[in-house]
Amino acid sequence: MRDEDAEREPIIVDDGWPDHSGAADASVPPARRRLFWPLRLVLRFWRQLLALILLLVIAAAIWLSVTAPLSRSLEPISPPSITLAASDGTPIAAKGAIIAAPVELAKLPPHVAGAFMAIEDRRFYDHWGVDPWGIARAAWRNLVAGGVREGGSTITQQLAKVAFLNDERRFGRKAQEMLIAFWLEAWLTKDQILERYLSNVYFGDNVYGLRAAARHYFSRDVERLTVGEAAMLAGLVKAPSRLAPTRNLAGARARARLVLAAMVETGAITEAQARAAQPIRLRVTRDRQMPGGTYFADWVLPAARDQAGAVYERQVIRTTLDRRLQKIAERVVRQNAIADTQMALVAMRPDGQVVAMVGGRSYRESPFNRATQARRQPGSTFKLFVYLAAIRAGMTPDTIVDDSPVTIDGWSPTNNDGRYRGRITLRQAFALSSNVVAARLAERVGRRAVIQAARDLGITSPLGDQPSLALGTSGVTLIELTAAYAAVAGNALPVTPYGLPRAEEGWLSAVWNRPGKLGQRERDMLLDLLSAAVDSGTGRRAALSIDAFGKTGTTQNARDAIFVGFAGDLVVGVWVGRDDNRPIPGISGGGAPARAWADFMAGAIDGAALAPAPEDEPENLIDPVGALVDADNMTVDIDIGPIDLGVTIDGDGVTVSDAAEGETGPGPAGESPPESRRPPPVPAPPRGEPRIP
């Protein structure tokens, strides 16, 4: 049996054919040479590959050593400062940071450092600046979540980024960050790294450093922070601008609960301590030395901070503000504001680029921005969404609608002068700003369709599903409303207002983020309606020598007056009202706001101003086509200072009424009474084709 095995051995080692010569010993050496020569090729390939990788690593190390700021990575970090500049580079505001003395780790309660390590870097004391396990764990969780939910950067890497680099997302910056992290780990102790990190990280509200944050949000020294307070501050680091508790307390508390759970997992606190730490309450300390600025600068600052990446050196951030247009806006507000009232104006391009902003009569007296922070009823400017829903339902500007009294769920909207015109076109109803037609339309197409139209054009504020929705009784901000009209002007929706120049998108991002559009039919008909309101409707005082489109709005008891519209390449919204919400007798969206809008456009767009009336001909106060209401009566609007009066002549004699677009009686139980409108003269007869700018 052994002899047979010996004879078959060469058959297996060689090429599979039996060797009948009996020279088994002679066939062994060649077989071994044929077995190992492929291995030599593989080994040679791997040696060359490793040599190439080593050369690349050396080259990368040399490049990083030259480009990374290692020479200053151990120096003290200077306080951050941002200078905001207009689109032409001219400085418009300087913003300094709120800072305090550095923290000393030995004097902090253990749970303070434990909170930051639990949520940001659990293996802080076990790695050398970069944590492969942390990177792998974050990658796995992001994969399971289907998106980026967790980062793998260590505290050392975060210190390298916020202190010495920008926030640009590219491989070179990440490599520099890792090299600086190794450098910091080599020259500083772990406690020194953690102290620098806690003393300089950004906590939102323009506050840098843990000591300053403790005083700002909780009015206490950092050495006396409670478990809950430490958890909330540690949770802010992920997204300080978005989670700042002064703006988003619910979000900050939710994030703090995650931190507390992480602290329990790491053993920093017990479950009993975590339960006792909630709810976390604020005791905000406002900085008495308010940094200089403007309404626009205050609005754009959070975005500027995010773009700067919390770099700790003076930076100049260029904005979209147009200095020439801003001066015109300030002049218009100064000249048109009515005594004891506020006026706000925001101007943007159709894509949302904000070029001018005035949030009130005086920033020095009141930095509250009424263009971006005040949520007020939009009045009849909201009817844009009602009529868009009607157009989507198949109606046209020539569709006949019923302008007669109606009762909906116990609520009866009224037109201001109590007069109703019966069967009129959709175009006439929009130009007249008929309340009863708007209410009827909303019920006919469905209030949910109206809400969806508003959402499609970019309205994000809560909208009440109630009968008076059609009359604009749900509060929105002026900038939000203006952006919705910009969506119509540029036919790209929704429009997000922005104050910092946008980086050019790659083709893939441009395709993925491609905005929606209105159908050509929808847009043409909306332009038809909006031009009718300016040409012969409630917005006649906004008329220009070029095509203009817009809508007036006046809320109940004349508490708010608004005009929003567009012409050329500008979309502008103007609001007039009082901060205490008291009525302004005689005010209307077709009065002071429309005049201010036209004044701004005339200065902003060459050739837009209307030519003055000839001296030998008195100004015609009556629209030659739209003044005739019917064969027996007509209506004239007269301005007496800020007061707009309507004079109606008919078979019953002469009636003098408030020319404001009006107010209504109480609405359905549980809701505020909506606004109403006094219809202006009937506009021109229907046109066959819509006007397109």
Side-chain angles (χ1 to χ4, degrees):
M1 198 65 177
R2 272 180 206 163
D3 292 340
E4 290 179 2
D5 292 341
E7 289 179 1
R8 292 178 182 176
E9 183 176 349
I11 298 175
I12 299 174
V13 175
D14 197 71
D15 54 7
W17 292 94
D19 186 358
H20 300 286
S21 64
D25 295 340
S27 65
V28 174
R32 289 179 178 171
R33 284 195 294 269
R34 283 192 293 271
L35 179 66
F36 289 102
W37 71 265
L39 293 179
R40 287 198 298 271
L41 288 178
V42 172
L43 292 175
R44 185 181 306 160
F45 168 77
W46 281 108
R47 282 197 299 268
Q48 292 174 349
L49 181 61
L50 290 175
L52 178 61
I53 293 174
L54 182 60
L55 288 175
L56 291 176
V57 170
I58 294 173
I62 295 174
W63 174 74
L64 290 172
S65 298
V66 173
T67 59
L70 297 178
S71 60
R72 64 184 180 91
S73 61
L74 301 180
E75 297 175 0
I77 300 172
S78 58
S81 176
I82 286 182
T83 297
L84 299 175
S87 58
D88 62 359
T90 304
I92 58 175
K95 297 290 186 178
I98 301 174
I99 60 174
V103 300
E104 297 181 40
L105 196 61
K107 296 182 179 180
L108 298 180
H111 60 258
V112 174
F116 286 86
M117 288 188 290
I119 198 65
E120 293 295 327
D121 188 358
R122 297 188 180 187
R123 289 169 39 83
F124 173 69
Y125 282 100
D126 298 325
H127 59 67
W128 287 83
V130 177
D131 185 9
W133 291 107
I135 296 174
R137 181 182 64 252
W140 171 253
R141 291 181 178 177
N142 293 336
L143 180 63
V144 172
V148 178
R149 297 291 185 272
E150 182 178 329
S153 295
T154 65
I155 284 178
T156 312
Q157 287 178 269
Q158 293 182 48
L159 175 61
K161 180 179 69 174
V162 302
F164 312 113
L165 300 171
N166 57 40
D167 205 31
E168 184 180 1
R169 295 189 177 186
R170 58 184 178 85
F171 174 77
R173 202 276 302 160
K174 194 68 175 178
Q176 290 177 324
E177 173 189 302
M178 295 173 67
L179 184 63
I180 295 175
F182 287 133
W183 183 271
L184 292 172
E185 291 278 353
W187 290 95
L188 297 176
T189 66
K190 286 288 188 178
D191 287 354
Q192 289 174 327
I193 292 173
L194 189 55
E195 285 178 347
R196 283 183 172 235
Y197 172 78
L198 296 176
S199 298
N200 295 282
V201 72
Y202 182 47
F203 289 95
D205 268 11
N206 201 30
V207 177
Y208 289 79
L210 184 58
R211 187 179 300 279
R215 292 176 180 173
H216 177 72
Y217 290 119
F218 303 114
S219 300
R220 67 167 75 238
D221 292 332
V222 67
E223 291 82 6
R224 299 179 58 248
L225 282 175
T226 66
V227 170
E229 292 166 348
M232 178 173 284
L233 293 179
L236 299 183
V237 174
K238 178 182 180 181
S241 296
R242 178 172 60 86
L243 295 174
T246 50
R247 302 178 184 179
N248 184 10
L249 181 58
R253 282 176 170 170
R255 178 69 176 168
R257 287 193 291 271
L258 294 178
V259 176
L260 289 170
M263 294 173 71
V264 172
E265 292 177 4
T266 58
I269 59 173
T270 64
E271 291 186 5
Q273 288 176 301
R275 287 192 297 269
Q278 302 182 52
I280 305 163
R281 304 186 184 280
L282 297 183
R283 294 180 58 192
V284 179
T285 299
R286 297 292 181 184
D287 186 18
R288 294 183 179 179
Q289 295 181 346
M290 296 293 293
T294 65
Y295 292 112
F296 176 83
D298 290 351
W299 172 70
V300 82
L301 181 63
R305 289 288 185 203
D306 290 342
Q307 177 175 302
V311 175
Y312 287 70
E313 59 185 13
R314 186 177 185 84
Q315 293 190 83
V316 177
I317 304 294
R318 186 165 295 196
T319 69
T320 60
L321 189 78
D322 186 303
R323 281 203 307 148
R324 182 182 73 87
L325 298 181
Q326 179 65 23
K327 289 180 179 179
I328 295 173
E330 292 171 355
R331 174 186 61 78
V332 165
V333 171
R334 187 168 56 251
Q335 294 177 353
N336 288 275
I338 304 168
D340 195 29
T341 67
Q342 291 287 347
M343 176 177 282
L345 183 153
V346 61
M348 64 181 66
R349 303 296 182 192
D351 69 343
Q353 178 186 157
V354 177
V355 293
M357 178 183 290
V358 181
R361 299 181 65 171
S362 172
Y363 178 85
R364 183 185 300 274
E365 294 178 3
S366 173
F368 178 72
N369 193 336
R370 296 154 189 87
T372 63
Q373 295 175 286
R375 185 169 282 145
R376 309 288 291 245
Q377 292 183 354
S380 282
T381 57
F382 190 85
K383 290 175 182 174
L384 173 71
F385 314 119
V386 178
Y387 281 71
L388 173 56
I391 290 171
R392 287 176 169 177
M395 300 184 193
T396 73
D398 296 320
T399 298
I400 300 300
V401 291
D402 187 7
D403 181 31
S404 63
V406 65
T407 298
I408 303 169
D409 295 340
W411 168 64
S412 300
T414 61
N415 294 331
N416 182 60
D417 60 359
R419 300 177 70 251
Y420 304 91
R421 288 159 178 80
R423 291 169 60 80
I424 59 176
T425 66
L426 201 71
R427 181 185 297 106
Q428 290 173 324
F430 189 84
L432 293 167
S433 200
S434 168
N435 282 341
V436 294
V437 169
R440 286 177 179 273
L441 288 176
E443 296 305 307
R444 180 174 175 180
V445 303
R447 293 194 292 268
R448 291 193 177 277
V450 174
I451 293 174
Q452 185 58 54
R455 297 291 185 230
D456 290 344
L457 292 185
I459 297 297
T460 58
S461 293
L463 300 176
D465 187 356
Q466 55 198 21
S468 63
L469 168 72
L471 305 188
T473 55
S474 296
V476 299
T477 63
L478 180 62
I479 193 171
E480 178 183 12
L481 184 63
T482 305
Y485 277 69
V488 179
N491 197 18
L493 51 100
V495 169
T496 302
Y498 64 95
L500 300 179
R502 288 175 171 170
E504 292 187 7
E505 291 184 320
W507 70 269
L508 182 60
S509 179
V511 171
W512 184 263
N513 298 321
R514 183 171 55 189
K517 289 182 177 295
L518 292 168
Q520 192 61 46
R521 170 185 174 277
E522 295 174 352
R523 182 169 184 265
D524 289 349
M525 291 183 179
L526 285 179
L527 294 178
D528 188 335
L529 299 177
L530 291 167
S531 64
V534 175
D535 292 344
S536 55
T538 57
R540 293 190 303 279
R541 292 183 184 87
L544 303 171
S545 63
I546 61 175
D547 288 340
F549 308 83
K551 186 70 185 76
T552 57
T554 312
T555 62
Q556 64 160 0
N557 296 325
R559 289 185 171 91
D560 305 272
I562 308 165
F563 187 88
V564 185
F566 50 90
D569 64 343
L570 286 172
V571 187
V572 180
V574 180
W575 167 87
V576 175
R578 289 187 170 123
D579 289 339
D580 60 7
N581 210 32
R582 286 185 296 117
I584 308 172
I587 195 68
S588 72
R595 286 192 295 268
W597 185 92
D599 191 3
F600 176 85
M601 288 297 199
I605 304 174
D606 292 338
L610 283 175
E615 294 184 1
D616 57 345
E617 296 182 13
E619 182 180 0
N620 188 0
L621 297 177
I622 306 175
D623 179 15
V625 178
L628 297 178
V629 177
D630 53 43
D632 299 322
N633 63 72
M634 64 180 180
T635 301
V636 183
D637 287 349
I638 301 175
D639 294 345
I640 304 177
I643 310 301
D644 297 334
L645 296 179
V647 180
T648 302
I649 305 174
D650 54 23
D652 298 327
V654 179
T655 302
V656 179
S657 61
D658 183 355
E661 288 171 272
E663 54 185 307
T664 62
E671 65 176 87
S672 301
E675 58 178 343
S676 67
R677 309 286 180 270
R678 185 197 65 78
V682 175
R687 290 167 288 186
E689 295 294 329
R691 286 174 52 183
I692 304 174

